[in-house]
Every structure is written in structure tokens, then in C-alpha cells.
């Protein structure tokens, strides 16, 4: 069974940093692109970032480019999102998501999410 | 960037009746080389993560009830729930994966009338 479990969320002050983790199990982790998608409270889904299975290619939404860094450790089956220079508008539930095996681009599985609150 | 627009924002349907949600993309998501529409639908129940329902615009994910169906091509797509059940109360999102950044519609909330 595919499992994605996020951790690392919490309350952080504006300008601060936080690192999210997503522990994956139940599939060949290195074979899949992985993504972060966020959902502000009461709002819709917004794509944040993605990383190729071998970690050699990444992409970011314009809203987080230069502030967030996605990475992965395939030996630990774990995905990361390092967030810095956080702003109030970064407040959201952050989901990690597994892309389909054929790398078409849709999200087959989602974690339960980690809440990040940016507030003073 | 491709903008996805869903309509309506919400709808209330009686149990056993049909629910229809529209999704329009600001440019075509049909890839001519393989004749596939890069369009997915997700269901999100309160307090839960999204769940994949349909991909390639009309292919149902394994385990998804056959009352859910997707149709359309190019820029206009539809998600249909043929006979609404109580457990279908949720917000539904379309998503294009034709180009980066992948983008979602704003969501359609489905309730029981």
C-alpha cells in the first residue's frame, strides 16, 4: 500500500524558515517524480514544486522560486521542502504527492498534509 | 500558464440525481502526437487530501465507482456523477498536466439538495 506521511509543519514567524518532510513507502520511490501542492485555509489547490525521481531536475511555482528548495533522499525514501523567507501568504496545508509512474503529470497518491502557519 | 476555470462554484443535487461539473482550460490540453487530453479530476472530502478520480480526461482510476465519468477534449471538459450518493459530497477539482506549472481549477462544491 502506498503511504505518504508529511511532517515538520508548525507555526513560524514571517521571515523564518521551516523544513517539511514526506516519508514514502509501499512503492519504488526513486521511480517517481514527487511534488508539493499546497492549500491555503478554505481555498483551492496550488502546485508548489516537483523533483525528478533521481533528483536531477526540479521546478518551482513563481510564488516560491528563490525561497523554497525541494530535494529528496532516495536511500531514506524521503522528500523534503526547505522553506525560507516565509510570508503570511505561505500559510497552507502542504501535501506531498506522487506522480504517475509514466510521468504524465497527474497525482496518483497524496499524503495527509502538514499545516504551515506563518504569523507573528 | 494555463488557467483552469470550473463551473459552477457549487451545486446542490438530490440523492440519485445527476451532477455535472464543467472545466475549461485557457488553452488546449490535447497533445496532438498521442491524441491524449492531459486533464485529471480529483475529489476532496472535508478534512481529507484530494483523491484521484479520473485521468486522461476519461480514464477512471482503479476502484472509483462507475457512476463517475469524465468527458471532453481540447479546452472543454465535464465530470459527471450519474446518480449522486451521500458519500459523494465533496469538492471536485480539475487539473491540467499538459504544461508546467500544472494548474487546478478553483473547485466545485457538491452538496445534497
Amino acid at each position: 500500500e502506498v503511504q505518504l506521511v508529511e511532517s515538520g509543519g508548525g507555526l513560524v514567524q514571517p521571515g523564518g524558515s521551516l523544513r517539511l518532510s514526506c516519508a514514502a513507502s509501499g512503492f519504488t520511490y526513486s521511480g517517481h517524480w514527487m511534488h508539493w501542492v499546497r492549500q491555503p485555509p478554505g481555498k483551492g489547490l496550488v502546485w508548489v514544486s516537483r523533483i525528478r525521481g533521481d533528483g536531477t531536475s526540479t521546478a518551482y511555482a513563481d510564488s516560491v522560486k528563490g525561497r523554497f528548495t525541494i530535494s529528496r533522499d532516495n536511500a531514506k525514501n524521503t522528500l523534503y521542502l526547505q522553506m525560507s523567507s516565509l510570508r503570511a501568504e505561505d500559510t497552507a496545508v502542504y501535501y506531498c504527492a506522487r506522480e504517475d509512474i509514466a510521468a504524465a503529470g497527474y497525482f496518483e497518491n497524496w499524503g495527509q498534509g502538514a499545516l504551515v502557519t506563518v504569523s507573528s | 500558464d494555463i488557467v483552469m476555470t470550473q463551473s459552477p462554484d457549487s451545486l446542490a443535487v438530490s440523492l440519485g440525481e445527476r451532477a455535472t461539473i464543467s472545466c475549461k482550460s485557457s488553452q488546449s490540453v490535447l497533445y496532438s502526437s498521442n491524441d491524449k487530453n492531459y486533464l485529471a479530476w480529483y475529489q476532496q472530502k472535508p478534512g481529507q487530501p484530494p483523491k484521484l478520480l479520473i485521468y486522461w480526461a476519461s480514464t477512471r482510476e482503479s476502484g472509483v465507482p462507475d457512476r463517475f465519468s469524465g468527458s471532453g477534449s481540447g479546452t472543454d471538459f465535464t465530470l459527471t456523477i450519474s446518480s449522486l450518493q451521500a458519500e459523494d459530497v465533496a469538492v471536485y477539482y480539475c487539473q491540467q498536466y499538459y504544461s508546467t506549472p500544472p494548474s487546478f481549477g478553483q473547485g466545485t462544491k457538491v452538496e445534497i439538495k
Side-chain angles (χ1 to χ4, degrees):
Chain A
E1 178 194 5
V2 173
Q3 285 203 327
L4 300 170
V5 180
E6 298 94 340
S7 60
L11 175 63
V12 60
Q13 292 189 338
S17 298
L18 206 61
R19 188 178 83 157
L20 301 181
S21 301
C22 171
S25 61
F27 64 101
T28 303
Y29 178 66
S30 61
H32 288 260
W33 286 77
M34 295 294 295
H35 298 250
W36 289 99
V37 177
R38 68 185 181 184
Q39 186 169 36
K43 297 190 176 181
L45 303 167
V46 180
W47 176 81
V48 173
S49 182
R50 73 174 183 208
I51 186 168
R52 185 175 165 162
D54 60 8
T56 58
S57 176
T58 61
Y60 299 89
D62 286 345
S63 59
V64 307
K65 204 172 294 182
R67 299 188 299 122
F68 290 12
T69 302
I70 191 172
S71 62
R72 64 193 297 161
D73 185 335
N74 286 349
K76 295 182 178 179
N77 285 5
T78 302
L79 176 72
Y80 302 100
L81 186 68
Q82 178 68 48
M83 303 182 292
S84 60
S85 302
L86 282 161
R87 307 165 180 166
E89 54 265 35
D90 295 319
T91 294
V93 173
Y94 285 74
Y95 296 103
C96 64
R98 182 185 82 150
E99 188 172 310
D100 67 285
I101 187 62
Y106 57 89
F107 306 128
E108 287 185 317
N109 302 93
W110 299 66
Q112 286 296 314
L115 176 61
V116 173
T117 302
V118 183
S119 174
S120 55
Chain B
D1 296 3
I2 297 177
V3 177
M4 307 300 290
T5 304
Q6 292 180 227
S7 61
D9 289 334
S10 65
L11 76 161
V13 176
S14 300
L15 288 172
E17 296 300 304
R18 179 185 302 260
T20 303
I21 300 169
S22 172
C23 173
K24 295 183 186 294
S25 56
S26 60
Q27 63 189 75
S28 176
V29 298
L30 173 62
Y31 194 37
S32 57
S33 66
N34 60 9
D35 200 32
K36 288 189 172 184
N37 287 284
Y38 284 58
L39 190 285
W41 289 95
Y42 301 87
Q43 174 193 64
Q44 187 178 31
K45 297 182 179 181
Q48 295 186 19
K51 172 190 171 184
L52 177 66
L53 293 178
I54 286 169
Y55 54 97
W56 298 131
S58 61
T59 302
R60 206 177 298 116
E61 172 73 331
S62 175
V64 173
D66 60 7
R67 64 180 179 273
F68 291 92
S69 64
S71 63
S73 184
T75 61
D76 292 279
F77 300 91
T78 301
L79 175 70
T80 301
I81 309 172
S82 61
S83 176
L84 191 74
Q85 304 300 302
E87 60 265 32
D88 301 334
V89 168
V91 178
Y92 294 84
Y93 295 93
C94 61
Q95 177 229 341
Q96 67 79 19
Y97 47 99
Y98 180 88
S99 66
T100 300
S103 49
F104 296 88
Q106 80 276 16
T108 295
K109 187 175 185 178
V110 174
E111 300 173 307
I112 305 295
K113 185 187 291 182

